[in-house]
Amino acid sequence: MDNQEVIKKKIAILGSTGSIGTQALEVIEEHSDKFQVEVLTANRNADLLIEQAIKFKPNAVVIVDESRFEEVSEKLWKHDIKTFTGETALAQVVEMEDVNIVLTALVGYAGLLPTIKAIKAKKNIALANKETLVVAGELITKLAAENGVAILPVDSEHGAIFQCLTGEVQNKIEKIYLTASGGPFRGRKSDELKNITKEQALKHPNWEMGAKITIDSATLMNKGLEVIEAKWLFNLKPEQIDVIVHPQSIIHSIVQFEDGSMKAQMGLPDMKHPIQYALSFPYRFTSKSPRFNFMDYPQLTFEQPDKETFLNLALAYEAMEKGGNAACVLNAANEITVEAFLNDEIKFLEIAEINQKCMEEIPFIKTPTYEDYVSTNAQAREFAKSLI
Ligand code: NDP
């Protein structure tokens, strides 16, 4: 089928005012003949949400923060755009009949319930919100299979693996290598990280992202979350997932098959690429993004990650191997510690130290239900707060 014949996909973007959300809108604008915005949501950035809604004319918007609702609805009613507020509305809006695909571009545990609702309503998911799979990967992948829903990865590493696997359905994966830039503190040891400020941690060498994921990249928790995300997305065993530090961020990840052959996906670091592929799959649409030039990168280099200094990566492997609610505990603790670090309440190294204490203290549940995830999340958050 020619790309031109593809029916316009109607998209709900959860978290449209963030880094992924705004880049997704740029992709949609570049391909307005193929994509249509159906729903936009934000937490509290009412000004940007209003601006986006007037430009993209969705059917509905949600502003989660109720104190910003009046302003949003006053500005949008004359444009014939439905406006809602609150967490319940966020979880319900994904069920709207016309929505074909839900891009989960919000941060953290808040993505879990809307993703569950979207899957139950049989909407395909373009998943940026990795925390959802980290917290409840078993539940989410089972639900997706039961409902015949595709989970299309937006994360660049998982998008790379996904592209390498296209056309390989019948072939077993021996191993995958998730590449990591190493973050701004690559090569440093713990005693050099004691007094890191948030301003230093917020400067990522290769990617422009939201604050939470930028701190997660500096502590290597982001790579840890991605390891768990990969386990669920590609149905892998922990020993099949390796991390390799590749500071140039040109190779986005690699699959090694049973015959030893390796497929890698590469290109300039640009989130618009994996966002567009998740939305356009199974097709590839054109892109105006700059092209890779080999002579700008005559050397691509690789290193082992330092799991001793960057304890969060080791904790994520531990949580993945343990299974049950362990990754939910780690994620909840990490959301609290990252926020505390951004508020200057704890030091950089305390992020992982507190995360580790939470993993030691919160009771383990081998086969958690949705309710268990909810209570584990609450308990781990409370405990992490008590240590700050
Ligand atoms: P941002 O912080 O830039 O944006 C987050 C978005 O979610 C905003 O629209 C924000 O609204 C909204 N939001 C935040 N908290 C809540 C909440 N509690 N309830 C509802 N909405 C909320 O994040 P990013 O775009 O960087 O990241 C989004 C997700 O994508 C994360 O899970 C991240 O790990 C993942 N990801 C991001 C990448 C990137 O390059 N940025 C790369 C790969 C994955 P408001 O603006 O009103 O606060």
Side-chain angles (χ1 to χ4, degrees):
M1 191 197 280
D2 187 87
N3 281 351
Q4 303 309 317
E5 294 173 44
V6 176
I7 299 164
K8 252 191 184 186
K9 277 188 192 164
K10 297 185 177 173
I11 303 168
I13 305 180
L14 307 185
S16 64
T17 50
S19 160
I20 293 288
T22 49
Q23 292 180 85
L25 286 172
E26 286 174 32
V27 167
I28 291 170
E29 192 177 9
E30 202 175 318
H31 294 287
S32 55
D33 54 331
K34 302 191 177 77
F35 301 129
Q36 183 175 320
V37 177
E38 201 57 26
V39 173
L40 294 174
T41 83
N43 193 25
R44 49 177 85 94
N45 190 346
D47 293 344
L48 184 54
L49 181 66
I50 292 166
E51 195 186 299
Q52 291 176 337
I54 292 173
K55 182 167 176 186
F56 288 91
K57 303 184 176 37
N59 192 353
V61 303
V62 178
I63 179 89
V64 177
D65 183 344
E66 295 179 10
S67 70
R68 311 299 305 267
F69 177 64
E70 221 177 280
E71 183 186 346
V72 175
S73 72
E74 202 174 283
K75 294 260 170 59
L76 296 184
W77 72 266
K78 51 182 174 282
H79 296 272
D80 207 19
I81 296 168
K82 299 182 193 80
T83 50
F84 303 98
T85 186
E87 284 172 21
T88 312
L90 181 71
Q92 283 172 347
V93 80
V94 295
E95 296 171 335
M96 286 175 70
E97 205 183 325
D98 279 345
V99 171
N100 305 127
I101 184 160
V102 176
L103 171 61
T104 63
L106 33 65
V107 198
Y109 178 86
L112 179 61
L113 187 58
T115 309
I116 291 176
K117 293 272 187 190
I119 294 173
K120 285 187 174 167
K122 303 200 187 301
K123 313 294 183 189
N124 286 330
I125 307 291
L127 184 127
N129 175 243
K130 64 190 86 184
E131 293 92 340
T132 283
L133 275 188
V134 170
V135 169
E138 191 161 8
L139 184 143
I140 293 288
T141 47
K142 188 163 169 264
L143 261 187
E146 282 167 7
N147 286 281
V149 158
I151 300 186
L152 303 151
V154 168
D155 228 337
S156 62
E157 295 77 1
H158 305 73
I161 301 286
F162 185 59
Q163 291 178 62
C164 293
L165 290 176
T166 302
E168 302 278 3
V169 203
Q170 68 282 21
N171 296 324
K172 274 198 193 146
I173 301 172
E174 188 167 84
K175 196 170 190 171
I176 65 165
Y177 290 91
L178 295 177
T179 51
S181 70
F185 310 127
R186 178 173 62 88
R188 296 207 204 170
K189 293 289 171 196
S190 296
D191 53 338
E192 298 167 89
L193 296 175
K194 275 186 196 143
N195 296 316
I196 288 297
T197 63
K198 70 176 174 204
E199 288 74 19
Q200 290 171 305
L202 282 169
K203 272 198 197 114
H204 194 279
N206 302 345
W207 299 97
E208 285 270 337
M209 308 177 287
K212 197 250 174 190
I213 184 174
T214 307
I215 300 301
D216 284 346
S217 298
T219 65
L220 289 204
M221 176 51 94
N222 183 49
K223 209 47 57 182
L225 299 178
E226 287 178 8
V227 163
I228 303 172
E229 182 187 9
K231 169 188 156 63
W232 295 114
L233 276 174
F234 306 113
N235 191 21
L236 299 171
K237 296 194 178 74
E239 59 273 19
Q240 288 177 291
I241 309 169
D242 228 328
V243 170
I244 190 86
V245 174
H246 165 49
Q248 298 82 16
S249 297
I250 295 298
I251 293 183
H252 300 310
S253 279
I254 302 154
V255 179
Q256 181 176 308
F257 293 94
E258 282 189 311
D259 58 357
S261 177
M262 298 166 102
K263 270 168 98 174
Q265 189 266 336
M266 60 190 281
L268 290 172
D270 177 358
M271 279 312 296
K272 281 204 273 181
H273 176 84
I275 294 171
Q276 177 167 310
Y277 190 70
L279 296 178
S280 69
F281 180 81
Y283 304 104
R284 287 187 188 272
F285 295 164
T286 55
S287 165
K288 293 189 186 128
S289 294
R291 277 15 183 195
F292 175 74
N293 178 348
F294 282 90
M295 292 310 111
D296 290 341
Y297 295 86
Q299 277 193 320
L300 298 180
T301 60
F302 303 93
E303 299 161 19
Q304 283 300 333
D306 176 356
K307 287 190 199 162
E308 232 172 84
T309 305
F310 297 93
L311 174 64
N312 270 336
L313 182 56
L315 293 178
Y317 266 98
E318 191 186 317
M320 172 170 62
E321 275 152 26
K322 211 167 162 194
N325 65 341
C328 177
V329 171
L330 179 60
N331 178 72
N334 187 62
E335 288 190 23
I336 296 298
T337 50
V338 169
E339 197 183 324
F341 174 70
L342 286 170
N343 291 332
D344 299 314
E345 290 163 352
I346 59 170
K347 298 239 184 204
F348 185 75
L349 292 176
E350 286 177 301
I351 297 176
E353 286 162 14
I354 295 174
N355 291 348
Q356 186 174 33
K357 284 192 188 129
C358 290
M359 281 185 66
E360 287 161 4
E361 290 301 321
I362 303 300
F364 180 64
I365 303 174
K366 197 166 185 298
T367 42
T369 60
Y370 173 70
E371 289 69 29
D372 292 328
Y373 288 124
V374 174
S375 63
T376 298
N377 175 62
Q379 247 183 308
R381 280 168 187 269
E382 270 319 297
F383 187 66
K385 279 184 192 161
S386 75
L387 299 175
I388 286 165

